[in-house]
Every structure is written in C-alpha cells, then in structure tokens.
Amino acid sequence: MGLITSLIAITLRAGTSLVYATIGETYAERAGILNLGLEGIMLMGAVSSFATAYYTGSLGLAIVVALGVGGLMALIHAFLSITMKANQVVSGLSITLFGTGFASFLGQRLGPESNGRYLIGLTGPRFAPIDVGALGKVPILGAILGQDLFTYGIYLLIPLAWFYLYRTKNGLWLRAIGENPRTADAMGVAVDRAKYGYTVFGGMLTALGGAHLALAYTPGWSENITGGRGWIVIALVIFSMWNPGRAITGALIFGGINAVQFRLQASGTNVPAAFLNMLPYLATIVVLVAITWWEALSKRVGSPASLGQPYVREDK
Amino acid sequence: MEDTANEVPLVEMRGICKSFPGVRASDEVDLRLERGEVLALLGENGAGKSTLMNILSGLYRQDSGDVFIRGEKVDIRSPRDAADLGIGMVHQNFMLIDTMTVAENVVLGMPSLPFVPDMAVVKRSILELGERYNMTVDPDAYIWQLSVGEQQRVEILKQLYRNAEILVLDEPTAVLTPQESHELNDVVKRMQAEGKSAVFITHKMDEVMAFADRVMVLRKGRVVAEKTTRDTDPKDLARVMVGREVLFHIEKGPFEPGAVVLELKDVCADDERGLPALRELSLSLRAGEILGIAGVAGNGQRELSEVITGLRPVKSGGISINCVDSTNKTPLQIIRSGVSHIPSDRMAVGAVGDMSVANNLAMKDYRAAPISKGIMLLPRRILEFARKMISAFNIATPSPETRVKFLSGGNIQKTILAREIESCGSLLIAVYPSRGLDIGATESVRNELVAQRDAGKAVLLVSEDIDEILSVADTVAVMYDGRAVGVMPTAGADPEEIGLLMAGIDPSEKETRL
Ligand SMILES: Nc1ncnc2c1ncn2[C@@H]1O[C@H](COP(=O)(O)OP(=O)(O)O)[C@@H](O)[C@H]1O
Ligand SMILES: [Mg+2]
C-alpha cells in the first residue's frame, strides 16, 4: 500500500467515531438542545458495547446495547432540559461527569474473575476491515473500501443525514425548531416531542461512535478510550456549521492529523510522544477556529438561534 | 344544544377566563362568530384581545370556559388541534423564520406536505395564490430580506395556503400602508364571499367600520359592548373602548424654523440584498421643524434612518449634522453628536426585553454621571432616575424593576421615547413611533414629538399614516424607490397628491393626461 493510500485508510478509520457523534450532536443542536454530555455518552457506549460483545460474542447485540445506553443517557438530558427547563450546560456537564466515572467503574467491575474483574486488557470479537480482494490493492479506492462496517455506515449516514435535514418535510420542521421554536409551535409542529426525539437520536449516534472505538478502532476497553473525542465533536459541529454534509470534513482533519502522527511515532522520531499525541487536538482547534472565523465573516450563518434556551409556550 | 341546527354558530366561546401573573387577561368572555361573518375585536393595548384569540388558536390554554366549533365542544390543546379545526391565526408578532425562504415558511408545519416535498410545486401554488388574491411575494426570497409589509403578506398567504375556514387577524394593518390595508380588505372580502369567517383584531375604529359586520369591544379583559357596525359610529366606539371622550386634535406652537440641523446630499446606500435602497437622496431639516417622511413601506425609509444613525454604510454622498460631517461615523459617535433614535423594530433594536424598565431607561445615559462613576454603575441612582422618567412620561409599569417585555406595546414605546427624548441633543429620529399603539398612547407620543419641536429640536418623523404626518409635521417629503419625490409644507398639502406620489405617480403628469 502506498503512503497516501495508507494515510487515507487511517484517516477514515480515525474519523469514523467523530462522524457519528458530530451528526448526532448536529441534529440535537438543530432542535435547540446543546448536549455537552457527549464525552460521557461515548465512554458509556464504548464500555457497554465491549462488555456485551465479550460476554455474548454478538456484535449485533453489542450495538443494540450501545444504542440503548446512549439513548437513555440522552433521554435524561432531554428530560432535564426540555421538561424541567434546566440549564443545558449544567445538565450536559453532569452527564459527562457521571458517564466518565461510571464507565471507569464498570471497566473495573464487569470483567471476569480471572482478570480481577477488570475489562482492561481483554480481547473480544471485533469488526474487522472488510476484505475486498483485488480492489483493496487499487490506490485510494482500496483505502475507502478496505474498512470495517462502521466506516461503511458513515458513507451512508452522511448523505442521508444531509438529505433528511435539507430536503424532507421533517428536516424543515427540525431546522425551524432550532431557529424559532415559537413559530414552529404556532405552525403546528410538535416542538417538545421533536426536541426529545432528536436529542435521544443524537445520544444514540454518539454512543455508536464510542462503540466503534471499542469494537473496531482500538478493540478492547481502556480507561479514557475516547481521548476527549466527545469534546472535539462539540467543536466539529460548529465547524461544520450545523450541516451534516460537512461533518466529514472536520472529522477528516482530526483523523488525518492523527494518521500523520501515528506514522511519525512509528518511524521513531525523537519528538516526544506526548507532544505528538497532543498534536491532533491542538491542530484541530487551530484549524477549526481559523476556518470558522473566516466563514462566519463571509457568510450569513450561525448557530441555531434558540440553541440552549428552553422553550415555554405561554412565556411572553 | 339548545340552538336549532341552522342557527349553530361557527365558533362559540363561553365564559373564558385566563390569568397571567398579576393580570386577568380574559374575564368571563363570551364570543360568537357566525359562518361567513367578519367580527371585529376592538380594544386598547392590553385589553386582552390577543390572549382571547391565542386561546382559540391553541397557543394559550384557558383557565376555565369552553369552546364550541360548529356546535361541538372542542378541546384545543395545541396550534395543530386548532389548524385541524380550520382555525388559522395571523399573529401580532410575526410567526416567521427569518433565515428561511417564503416558500419554506408557508408550508411549515403542514401535516399534509409529502415527506420529500417538491418545492417547485409549492412555489407555483404560492405564486398562483398571490395572483388570485392580489398579494404577490417572491417565494424564493428569505424573510429577513422582506419589508414588514411583505412579511405580513407571507403571514396571510400561509393561512390562505392552508385553506383556513376561520381566519384570525391580530392587528394586521398595524404594519401596513393605506394601500396595503385596502388590499387586505379586498382579501378579507373575497374570503368572506367564499363562505369563510374572520375575527379581525384592531384598535382603529375606521377599520372596524370598513372590515367588519359586527364588533365586540374589550376593556381590561371584559366585554364592554357588542354591536353590529351598522348601528354604531367611530366616535361611539372610541368612547366605549377608552371609557371616556377622546380628542383627535394636537396643539402646536407657531412654526419658526432655525438653523439647518440635518443635511443629506446625494446619499446612496444598499439594502441587505445589495440592491440600491437610497438613490441620490437629498433632504434638509431645520431646528424647530418636524419633517414627515411619507411613503409605502420598503421605499427606503428604514435605510434612511439607518444611514443617519450610523447603522448602515453610505456608499456615496454626504450627511452632516449641525454642519459637522457625520457620513459613515459609528453609532456611538452619532449618539454623542446629539442624535436620538426611536427605531421601528422596538423589541429587537429599541429595548432589551429581559432587562428592567429602569435599566432600559438608563441605557443611553450609563456612560456619564450621575448614573455611573468611572466604570461602576450606581443602581440606586438608576432607580431614582427611572422613577422620575416613569412619572414624567406616564409609563404604566408595576415597578421600575419589571422586565420590559411584560409591558404592553404602548408602554414599551413610551419607555424608548422617554429614554431617547431625555438623551436627545438636537435631532430626534422617530420611525413609525405610533405603529401598533392605541389612541391614548398615540396621542401622548405625538404630543411629545410636537413638544420637542416646540423646544427647538429637529424631528424626523417616518410614518405611513398620512393623517399623522399632516397633523404633526411641518414639512412632508414623500419617498418612492429610494428618492424624495416631493417635498412640501404640510399646511395646505393635498392628501390625494401625497397618495399619488407614494404610488410613484407624478400628479402634474396625471393632470396633463386628464
Ligand atoms: N404570555 C404572557 N405572559 C404574561 N402576561 C401576558 C402574556 N400575554 C399577555 N399578557 C398580559 O395580559 C394582558 C392582555 O394582553 P393582550 O391579550 O396581549 O392584549 P391586547 O392584545 O388586547 O393588546 C396584558 O396585561 C399583557 O401584559
Ligand atoms: Mg395584542
């Protein structure tokens, strides 16, 4: 495999979990709900899916469990933000604090006796890259096709998520809710129900991103397996201007720098590993800030106007 | 039901009560609307007109009382329920999404829309509908690009598109020009001819007479009168509505203009779409003069007030205030040169709804003593200052600490007026200052403008109400397509001639053709 092709392969693999979470959070934010619980939800998605796969041997069941756990955690956030009108930042941060701690706890309790009840260091079933035979040798195309099912999932998810948001009736409703929930309500859109739905959907996709880490990208469970990806996603949503079609770009920037960084480490440079590990985060933030700043200046785009604000029908 | 089958009213509301913290907005209200009838709901700001109709349209929930549609008791829990019953409401504050197109706004929330809508079909029907009712709008335009009058059209098109049987119009003419009001009247009459019914909310008596078959007058949440329009007249209605005799006259001192305060020379500026909004506009305004700017909304009036106040860049030409060049200066520099501004969009530009009345009043004076000291604001001084202004300007508010958004429209306007007049140096720019206000508030706003003129200040009054301009202003300039097409003294001006100029017709040409 050529250098470029292998870099593309790693980039896609590293960006996959980010795409799931970015699209999930984009949908939640389009409905006006800011969910800072992503990091916690991703970790819980990772630990629950890995434990399920380890004990049942079923990858399908592992995914179902991750979706359930992610949906449930987002449902708590939805209940606090929508029904209880709580501060969404506080609620989201609580979910992350809880998710981080509880995932770590489960990682030390759910394992078998033989491993001292730890999940760390175990291997379970995983999603392997698909063998596409001779096609895998084709430059670039080989990198795109030689991926696991999760990555194939984003090839479908990105266009579908874009189409739903910009071309369907429900997508129009969704965009309206985030912009102006009062108007959407007065025009007959069931605002609260949609807010619940999209928040839960966002949590499910985010947990799926976590499951990708534990079942395919770095198979197994380790403490802080997400490496802060939940936070990167918050920035990626802004960078993509709440457009799921652009979620891929940001994810690829992060994934790409990660890929280069891996290469450098593998080639044995004398740059400290800690610095290289930091590089993707630093570079992503710098690139995002620069591009977002430039775009916000040149276009009339911004966050959904009601983002983070509770909606009360009879408020004045 | 005790009624016989053919006498069942289309809508019947019985014993409706609704309270908000501190106010009884609806108090045992009964309302009846017959099929094919236009009912006017008349009342001053805060009388409870919107509240009652918001209950019918599912946005508010009554505390007690029942609603019957076509004789059947219904439970309207959401705007969707109301829409399913054929009730459509054009709200007083536009229910439009600024960042979306006209077409998207029109179909928003319609359950019958296909999952993947064909927007080309939607646009075509909007154009057809617009032609049929004589109110065309570009379906591809974004809401933020439209003038208020055009936005109102979209609101009405939305309900026509949904085929609403019962149309509620909440002060629809408050933002319309006389011509647009006529067009609206035609639309309502056509809907009526098609067998539909309407509730028309207003606080203007002549509109009741023009639009409605029957009128119900509300005061402080209660029904105080119910009449057929044939059996009443504007004076009678005004008395019932306000609860006292009303004067329609403004006292004005003699016209003694001083030095030129504001001068515009060949000013050009663009609108949001980058199209020319002002074309080589020249105007001058003197101390002790009120210059009225007449014209159909969307002919550059908003842009005119914005270039003067520094909110919009001037492309060419020059503006000077008190003989000092103020072209493309920042809003702060212009405020400091003694200019005050009462904007048309009160809630968005003129006041911060979530801040207290006191803070809104102090907003322009916070930089200087006695309200602040260095970078510290002095809250007690702010309250003291606010109490003084509240009593001087007769602002009805429970306390200086009440948040502005809880006041009625008239009192929000008075708050802005008080602040701007208090801080006014030599030039006051008032854009649609009486729009949406009831008679009492309108009277006090107009008197205040005249008082400023009598005190030697220059006042630029942008208004779509020709009568307001003729009674308040000394000089009138008509704007059409970004130009001032006619400048004349109001004394002896012919309203018809102004009307023609507003429509872009040169009256002298018309005479030669006759
Ligand atoms: N959502 C709300 N919350 C609190 N008070 C309200 C609300 N809506 C209306 N009110 C109050 O109820 C009264 C009647 O208001 P409204 O129905 O808007 O009057 P109108 O439409 O006749 O001008 C006013 O005192 C107003 O401040
Ligand atoms: Mg009202």
PDB file of all heavy atoms in Angstrom, chain B residues 375-394:
ATOM      1  N   ILE B 375     -16.117  53.152  35.956  1.00  0.00           N
ATOM      2  CA  ILE B 375     -16.758  52.046  35.277  1.00  0.00           C
ATOM      3  C   ILE B 375     -17.875  51.445  36.116  1.00  0.00           C
ATOM      4  O   ILE B 375     -18.489  50.459  35.747  1.00  0.00           O
ATOM      5  CB  ILE B 375     -15.745  50.935  34.904  1.00  0.00           C
ATOM      6  CG1 ILE B 375     -15.097  50.374  36.153  1.00  0.00           C
ATOM      7  CG2 ILE B 375     -14.719  51.456  33.932  1.00  0.00           C
ATOM      8  CD1 ILE B 375     -14.404  49.054  35.899  1.00  0.00           C
ATOM      9  N   MET B 376     -18.158  52.044  37.271  1.00  0.00           N
ATOM     10  CA  MET B 376     -19.198  51.483  38.139  1.00  0.00           C
ATOM     11  C   MET B 376     -20.542  52.121  37.817  1.00  0.00           C
ATOM     12  O   MET B 376     -20.656  53.323  37.682  1.00  0.00           O
ATOM     13  CB  MET B 376     -18.881  51.787  39.611  1.00  0.00           C
ATOM     14  CG  MET B 376     -17.571  51.227  40.069  1.00  0.00           C
ATOM     15  SD  MET B 376     -17.698  49.470  40.328  1.00  0.00           S
ATOM     16  CE  MET B 376     -18.780  49.453  41.743  1.00  0.00           C
ATOM     17  N   LEU B 377     -21.584  51.257  37.721  1.00  0.00           N
ATOM     18  CA  LEU B 377     -22.934  51.797  37.614  1.00  0.00           C
ATOM     19  C   LEU B 377     -23.476  51.952  39.026  1.00  0.00           C
ATOM     20  O   LEU B 377     -23.133  51.184  39.920  1.00  0.00           O
ATOM     21  CB  LEU B 377     -23.835  50.839  36.833  1.00  0.00           C
ATOM     22  CG  LEU B 377     -23.538  50.700  35.343  1.00  0.00           C
ATOM     23  CD1 LEU B 377     -24.399  49.609  34.760  1.00  0.00           C
ATOM     24  CD2 LEU B 377     -23.774  52.007  34.624  1.00  0.00           C
ATOM     25  N   LEU B 378     -24.306  52.956  39.227  1.00  0.00           N
ATOM     26  CA  LEU B 378     -24.848  53.179  40.564  1.00  0.00           C
ATOM     27  C   LEU B 378     -26.330  52.816  40.550  1.00  0.00           C
ATOM     28  O   LEU B 378     -27.162  53.625  40.121  1.00  0.00           O
ATOM     29  CB  LEU B 378     -24.659  54.644  40.964  1.00  0.00           C
ATOM     30  CG  LEU B 378     -23.199  55.123  40.893  1.00  0.00           C
ATOM     31  CD1 LEU B 378     -23.114  56.631  41.097  1.00  0.00           C
ATOM     32  CD2 LEU B 378     -22.342  54.398  41.910  1.00  0.00           C
ATOM     33  N   PRO B 379     -26.678  51.594  40.999  1.00  0.00           N
ATOM     34  CA  PRO B 379     -28.052  51.097  40.857  1.00  0.00           C
ATOM     35  C   PRO B 379     -29.074  52.004  41.520  1.00  0.00           C
ATOM     36  O   PRO B 379     -30.168  52.192  40.996  1.00  0.00           O
ATOM     37  CB  PRO B 379     -28.029  49.737  41.553  1.00  0.00           C
ATOM     38  CG  PRO B 379     -26.601  49.394  41.734  1.00  0.00           C
ATOM     39  CD  PRO B 379     -25.810  50.652  41.666  1.00  0.00           C
ATOM     40  N   ARG B 380     -28.732  52.611  42.655  1.00  0.00           N
ATOM     41  CA  ARG B 380     -29.739  53.428  43.313  1.00  0.00           C
ATOM     42  C   ARG B 380     -30.053  54.672  42.492  1.00  0.00           C
ATOM     43  O   ARG B 380     -31.185  55.084  42.362  1.00  0.00           O
ATOM     44  CB  ARG B 380     -29.283  53.801  44.721  1.00  0.00           C
ATOM     45  CG  ARG B 380     -30.499  54.167  45.540  1.00  0.00           C
ATOM     46  CD  ARG B 380     -30.264  54.231  47.032  1.00  0.00           C
ATOM     47  NE  ARG B 380     -29.572  53.109  47.595  1.00  0.00           N
ATOM     48  CZ  ARG B 380     -28.745  53.226  48.649  1.00  0.00           C
ATOM     49  NH1 ARG B 380     -28.524  54.395  49.185  1.00  0.00           N
ATOM     50  NH2 ARG B 380     -28.158  52.161  49.150  1.00  0.00           N
ATOM     51  N   ARG B 381     -29.004  55.251  41.874  1.00  0.00           N
ATOM     52  CA  ARG B 381     -29.207  56.418  41.009  1.00  0.00           C
ATOM     53  C   ARG B 381     -30.047  56.034  39.797  1.00  0.00           C
ATOM     54  O   ARG B 381     -30.877  56.797  39.333  1.00  0.00           O
ATOM     55  CB  ARG B 381     -27.855  56.947  40.520  1.00  0.00           C
ATOM     56  CG  ARG B 381     -27.017  57.525  41.616  1.00  0.00           C
ATOM     57  CD  ARG B 381     -27.324  59.013  41.794  1.00  0.00           C
ATOM     58  NE  ARG B 381     -26.655  59.546  42.967  1.00  0.00           N
ATOM     59  CZ  ARG B 381     -25.346  59.800  43.022  1.00  0.00           C
ATOM     60  NH1 ARG B 381     -24.589  59.582  41.971  1.00  0.00           N
ATOM     61  NH2 ARG B 381     -24.807  60.264  44.111  1.00  0.00           N
ATOM     62  N   ILE B 382     -29.809  54.823  39.272  1.00  0.00           N
ATOM     63  CA  ILE B 382     -30.568  54.381  38.106  1.00  0.00           C
ATOM     64  C   ILE B 382     -32.049  54.319  38.463  1.00  0.00           C
ATOM     65  O   ILE B 382     -32.904  54.804  37.720  1.00  0.00           O
ATOM     66  CB  ILE B 382     -30.066  53.002  37.617  1.00  0.00           C
ATOM     67  CG1 ILE B 382     -28.654  53.148  37.057  1.00  0.00           C
ATOM     68  CG2 ILE B 382     -31.008  52.418  36.566  1.00  0.00           C
ATOM     69  CD1 ILE B 382     -28.058  51.884  36.511  1.00  0.00           C
ATOM     70  N   LEU B 383     -32.364  53.764  39.644  1.00  0.00           N
ATOM     71  CA  LEU B 383     -33.758  53.654  40.064  1.00  0.00           C
ATOM     72  C   LEU B 383     -34.387  55.023  40.246  1.00  0.00           C
ATOM     73  O   LEU B 383     -35.516  55.275  39.834  1.00  0.00           O
ATOM     74  CB  LEU B 383     -33.854  52.886  41.384  1.00  0.00           C
ATOM     75  CG  LEU B 383     -33.891  51.361  41.250  1.00  0.00           C
ATOM     76  CD1 LEU B 383     -34.101  50.724  42.608  1.00  0.00           C
ATOM     77  CD2 LEU B 383     -34.987  50.949  40.287  1.00  0.00           C
ATOM     78  N   GLU B 384     -33.632  55.922  40.849  1.00  0.00           N
ATOM     79  CA  GLU B 384     -34.114  57.284  41.084  1.00  0.00           C
ATOM     80  C   GLU B 384     -34.455  57.961  39.754  1.00  0.00           C
ATOM     81  O   GLU B 384     -35.543  58.495  39.558  1.00  0.00           O
ATOM     82  CB  GLU B 384     -32.961  58.069  41.711  1.00  0.00           C
ATOM     83  CG  GLU B 384     -33.298  58.885  42.927  1.00  0.00           C
ATOM     84  CD  GLU B 384     -31.979  59.362  43.513  1.00  0.00           C
ATOM     85  OE1 GLU B 384     -31.404  60.314  42.932  1.00  0.00           O
ATOM     86  OE2 GLU B 384     -31.506  58.765  44.510  1.00  0.00           O
ATOM     87  N   PHE B 385     -33.492  57.848  38.834  1.00  0.00           N
ATOM     88  CA  PHE B 385     -33.639  58.400  37.501  1.00  0.00           C
ATOM     89  C   PHE B 385     -34.866  57.791  36.820  1.00  0.00           C
ATOM     90  O   PHE B 385     -35.699  58.488  36.246  1.00  0.00           O
ATOM     91  CB  PHE B 385     -32.353  58.069  36.724  1.00  0.00           C
ATOM     92  CG  PHE B 385     -32.384  58.373  35.256  1.00  0.00           C
ATOM     93  CD1 PHE B 385     -32.256  59.673  34.797  1.00  0.00           C
ATOM     94  CD2 PHE B 385     -32.510  57.344  34.326  1.00  0.00           C
ATOM     95  CE1 PHE B 385     -32.257  59.945  33.435  1.00  0.00           C
ATOM     96  CE2 PHE B 385     -32.513  57.612  32.973  1.00  0.00           C
ATOM     97  CZ  PHE B 385     -32.387  58.921  32.530  1.00  0.00           C
ATOM     98  N   ALA B 386     -35.011  56.470  36.946  1.00  0.00           N
ATOM     99  CA  ALA B 386     -36.122  55.773  36.299  1.00  0.00           C
ATOM    100  C   ALA B 386     -37.459  56.237  36.863  1.00  0.00           C
ATOM    101  O   ALA B 386     -38.413  56.476  36.134  1.00  0.00           O
ATOM    102  CB  ALA B 386     -35.968  54.267  36.462  1.00  0.00           C
ATOM    103  N   ARG B 387     -37.543  56.380  38.185  1.00  0.00           N
ATOM    104  CA  ARG B 387     -38.817  56.806  38.792  1.00  0.00           C
ATOM    105  C   ARG B 387     -39.240  58.151  38.245  1.00  0.00           C
ATOM    106  O   ARG B 387     -40.405  58.375  37.945  1.00  0.00           O
ATOM    107  CB  ARG B 387     -38.660  56.906  40.319  1.00  0.00           C
ATOM    108  CG  ARG B 387     -38.654  55.557  40.949  1.00  0.00           C
ATOM    109  CD  ARG B 387     -39.306  55.509  42.323  1.00  0.00           C
ATOM    110  NE  ARG B 387     -39.207  54.142  42.781  1.00  0.00           N
ATOM    111  CZ  ARG B 387     -38.132  53.655  43.409  1.00  0.00           C
ATOM    112  NH1 ARG B 387     -37.123  54.444  43.724  1.00  0.00           N
ATOM    113  NH2 ARG B 387     -38.089  52.386  43.743  1.00  0.00           N
ATOM    114  N   LYS B 388     -38.241  59.034  38.079  1.00  0.00           N
ATOM    115  CA  LYS B 388     -38.539  60.363  37.562  1.00  0.00           C
ATOM    116  C   LYS B 388     -39.120  60.276  36.149  1.00  0.00           C
ATOM    117  O   LYS B 388     -40.134  60.886  35.830  1.00  0.00           O
ATOM    118  CB  LYS B 388     -37.237  61.181  37.530  1.00  0.00           C
ATOM    119  CG  LYS B 388     -37.379  62.558  38.132  1.00  0.00           C
ATOM    120  CD  LYS B 388     -36.025  63.235  38.321  1.00  0.00           C
ATOM    121  CE  LYS B 388     -35.193  63.300  37.060  1.00  0.00           C
ATOM    122  NZ  LYS B 388     -33.764  63.521  37.284  1.00  0.00           N
ATOM    123  N   MET B 389     -38.455  59.469  35.323  1.00  0.00           N
ATOM    124  CA  MET B 389     -38.891  59.345  33.927  1.00  0.00           C
ATOM    125  C   MET B 389     -40.257  58.659  33.840  1.00  0.00           C
ATOM    126  O   MET B 389     -41.092  59.023  33.013  1.00  0.00           O
ATOM    127  CB  MET B 389     -37.887  58.506  33.135  1.00  0.00           C
ATOM    128  CG  MET B 389     -36.484  58.984  33.256  1.00  0.00           C
ATOM    129  SD  MET B 389     -36.059  60.027  31.877  1.00  0.00           S
ATOM    130  CE  MET B 389     -35.741  58.798  30.658  1.00  0.00           C
ATOM    131  N   ILE B 390     -40.488  57.651  34.681  1.00  0.00           N
ATOM    132  CA  ILE B 390     -41.749  56.914  34.634  1.00  0.00           C
ATOM    133  C   ILE B 390     -42.912  57.843  34.930  1.00  0.00           C
ATOM    134  O   ILE B 390     -43.956  57.796  34.271  1.00  0.00           O
ATOM    135  CB  ILE B 390     -41.710  55.721  35.614  1.00  0.00           C
ATOM    136  CG1 ILE B 390     -40.798  54.624  35.059  1.00  0.00           C
ATOM    137  CG2 ILE B 390     -43.117  55.162  35.854  1.00  0.00           C
ATOM    138  CD1 ILE B 390     -40.447  53.546  36.037  1.00  0.00           C
ATOM    139  N   SER B 391     -42.710  58.736  35.882  1.00  0.00           N
ATOM    140  CA  SER B 391     -43.828  59.630  36.170  1.00  0.00           C
ATOM    141  C   SER B 391     -43.922  60.742  35.130  1.00  0.00           C
ATOM    142  O   SER B 391     -45.015  61.118  34.714  1.00  0.00           O
ATOM    143  CB  SER B 391     -43.737  60.188  37.594  1.00  0.00           C
ATOM    144  OG  SER B 391     -42.713  61.140  37.660  1.00  0.00           O
ATOM    145  N   ALA B 392     -42.772  61.235  34.641  1.00  0.00           N
ATOM    146  CA  ALA B 392     -42.830  62.300  33.641  1.00  0.00           C
ATOM    147  C   ALA B 392     -43.494  61.833  32.352  1.00  0.00           C
ATOM    148  O   ALA B 392     -44.207  62.577  31.706  1.00  0.00           O
ATOM    149  CB  ALA B 392     -41.417  62.815  33.342  1.00  0.00           C
ATOM    150  N   PHE B 393     -43.258  60.590  31.971  1.00  0.00           N
ATOM    151  CA  PHE B 393     -43.791  60.101  30.702  1.00  0.00           C
ATOM    152  C   PHE B 393     -45.009  59.192  30.873  1.00  0.00           C
ATOM    153  O   PHE B 393     -45.459  58.576  29.917  1.00  0.00           O
ATOM    154  CB  PHE B 393     -42.702  59.391  29.898  1.00  0.00           C
ATOM    155  CG  PHE B 393     -41.693  60.330  29.321  1.00  0.00           C
ATOM    156  CD1 PHE B 393     -40.606  60.759  30.070  1.00  0.00           C
ATOM    157  CD2 PHE B 393     -41.841  60.816  28.033  1.00  0.00           C
ATOM    158  CE1 PHE B 393     -39.677  61.642  29.548  1.00  0.00           C
ATOM    159  CE2 PHE B 393     -40.921  61.696  27.505  1.00  0.00           C
ATOM    160  CZ  PHE B 393     -39.827  62.115  28.256  1.00  0.00           C
ATOM    161  N   ASN B 394     -45.478  59.078  32.122  1.00  0.00           N
ATOM    162  CA  ASN B 394     -46.692  58.305  32.339  1.00  0.00           C
ATOM    163  C   ASN B 394     -46.586  56.860  31.877  1.00  0.00           C
ATOM    164  O   ASN B 394     -47.485  56.338  31.213  1.00  0.00           O
ATOM    165  CB  ASN B 394     -47.845  58.943  31.560  1.00  0.00           C
ATOM    166  CG  ASN B 394     -48.827  59.544  32.524  1.00  0.00           C
ATOM    167  OD1 ASN B 394     -48.998  59.016  33.626  1.00  0.00           O
ATOM    168  ND2 ASN B 394     -49.450  60.640  32.127  1.00  0.00           N
TER     169      ASN B 394
END
